[in-house]
């Protein structure tokens, strides 16, 4: 196998492994989050962890493929090395995932608390607007057709002129 063939084989494997990883993500999306994420990490490690095949030439191959082929053909030359590499990569990846979870956890708790506070504030605001809607005419003064306020609570005022920043359209006050 030439150097060019070696890189082509790895490129094809990486493309196929990425497709398998996307399928694995799709298969695990319905699971509970704290089970789904570690399973995705383990799947990525299984697909993308290399192991050395020929130490003299620095040739690598996917550890899962080496393990499967060695078990299939009953050759134990590289199987134990591939399994140990898989275990080492899995331990490192899960430790990094655990570190990520420990950093993410307080941030999510603060976000949930902030969201709960905002929801409570929105609920209070909605309750206040419902109370104001129950008495819509309690504070509004009656208005005649010309836009003048009339009635016992207010004096007659002239409508705004377009030069004062208003428009020609007169809106009724509720």
């Amino acid at each position: 196998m030439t150097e060019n063939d070696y890189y082509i084989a790895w490129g094809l494997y990486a493309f196929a492994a990425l497709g398998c990883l996307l399928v694995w993500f799709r298969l695990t999306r319905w699971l509970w989050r704290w089970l789904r994420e570690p399973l995705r990490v383990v799947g990525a490690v299984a697909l993308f962890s290399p192991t050395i095949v020929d130490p003299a030439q620095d040739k690598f191959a996917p550890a899962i493929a080496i393990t499967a082929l060695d078990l299939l053909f009953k050759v134990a030359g590289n199987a134990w090395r591939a399994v140990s590499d898989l275990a080492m990569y899995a331990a490192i990846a899960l430790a990094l995932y655990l570190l990520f979870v420990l950093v993410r956890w307080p941030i999510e708790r603060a976000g949930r608390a902030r969201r709960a506070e905002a929801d409570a504030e929105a609920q209070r605001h909605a309750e206040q607007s419902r109370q104001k809607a129950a008495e819509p005419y309690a504070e509004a003064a009656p208005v005649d057709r010309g836009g003048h306020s009339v009635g016992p609570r207010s004096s007659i005022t002239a409508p705004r002129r377009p030069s004062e920043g208003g428009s020609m359209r007169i809106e009724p006050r509720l």
Side-chain angles (χ1 to χ4, degrees):
M1 175 182 268
T2 65
E3 192 75 19
N4 194 25
D5 293 340
Y6 178 72
Y7 289 127
I8 288 173
W10 263 111
L12 290 173
Y13 177 79
F15 185 71
L18 186 62
C20 289
L21 187 65
L22 291 175
V23 169
W24 182 245
F25 274 34
R26 185 98 170 143
L27 288 174
T28 59
R29 75 176 173 184
W30 63 274
L31 293 173
W32 180 52
R33 175 182 174 187
W34 299 106
L35 179 62
R36 175 182 62 224
E37 290 177 350
L39 282 176
R40 288 178 174 180
V41 168
V42 168
V45 166
L47 288 171
F48 292 109
S49 60
T51 189
I52 195 156
V53 176
D54 188 7
Q57 296 180 354
D58 288 333
K59 297 282 184 175
F60 289 90
I64 194 81
I66 294 298
T67 304
L69 289 174
D70 280 1
L71 290 176
L72 181 69
F73 294 123
K74 296 183 173 115
V75 179
N78 292 326
W80 288 112
R81 184 183 309 137
V83 168
S84 68
D85 284 347
L86 273 173
M88 179 188 63
Y89 291 136
I92 292 170
L94 288 174
L96 289 174
Y97 171 72
L98 184 63
L99 182 67
F100 172 72
V101 167
L102 290 175
V103 168
R104 180 179 66 182
W105 196 3
I107 295 170
E108 286 181 346
R109 286 181 62 194
R112 277 194 300 269
R114 201 170 34 250
R115 224 175 300 121
E117 184 179 310
D119 288 345
E121 181 65 31
Q123 210 169 21
R124 279 193 300 268
H125 183 67
E127 184 63 33
Q128 287 174 354
S129 61
R130 267 189 242 117
Q131 287 175 355
K132 283 186 180 181
E135 340 174 320
Y137 300 110
E139 296 192 19
V143 178
D144 68 356
R145 291 185 68 142
H148 301 288
S149 295
V150 295
R153 284 190 228 129
S154 64
S155 61
I156 297 176
T157 59
R160 288 190 311 192
R161 304 280 179 229
S163 61
E164 298 173 1
S167 66
M168 292 297 291
R169 184 174 173 171
I170 298 174
E171 298 288 334
R173 288 190 217 153
L174 296 178

